[in-house]
Amino acid sequence: MDDQQIDPQFAQEVQIEVQKAKIQQQLNKQTEMCWDICVGSMVAKFDGRTESCITNCVDRYVDTGLLIQNRFQEKLSMAGRLG
């Protein structure tokens, strides 16, 4: 292999990892925003509304994480069949 060439499969894997990192960064930003909206500042005890809001944030985080994981798995499967 020429030093100037990059293995296409390796390049694709790197691209997928970069995409994952960007999505994870965005997901973390949304989680922080959700926390700020629900909690604002720390208090000794959360009221029912705050607990419900935090539960909703957690549910959305898990749902989004699973969606992303499934989507990347599909991409890897398709790439494996094509390559």
Side-chain angles (χ1 to χ4, degrees), residues 6-31:
I6 298 175
D7 178 29
Q9 184 176 354
F10 177 73
Q12 183 179 22
E13 289 174 12
V14 169
Q15 182 182 14
I16 288 172
E17 290 303 318
V18 168
Q19 289 174 349
K20 281 184 187 178
K22 287 179 181 179
I23 291 170
Q24 187 64 45
Q25 183 180 26
Q26 185 63 31
L27 185 57
N28 289 341
K29 186 186 289 187
Q30 290 173 344
T31 301

Side-chain angles (χ1 to χ4, degrees), residues 20-80:
K20 281 184 187 178
K22 287 179 181 179
I23 291 170
Q24 187 64 45
Q25 183 180 26
Q26 185 63 31
L27 185 57
N28 289 341
K29 186 186 289 187
Q30 290 173 344
T31 301
E32 287 179 30
M33 186 173 61
C34 194
W35 174 265
D36 291 343
I37 290 170
C38 292
V39 178
S41 61
M42 291 302 295
V43 293
K45 187 175 181 180
F46 296 139
D47 61 14
R49 183 173 179 245
T50 303
E51 286 182 20
S52 178
C53 185
I54 292 171
T55 298
N56 188 44
C57 287
V58 169
D59 290 345
R60 296 300 70 80
Y61 181 86
V62 170
D63 291 346
T64 303
L66 289 172
L67 179 71
I68 292 167
Q69 181 180 357
N70 291 337
R71 181 67 179 124
F72 276 107
Q73 190 62 40
E74 288 174 13
K75 280 186 149 188
L76 286 173
S77 290
M78 288 178 63

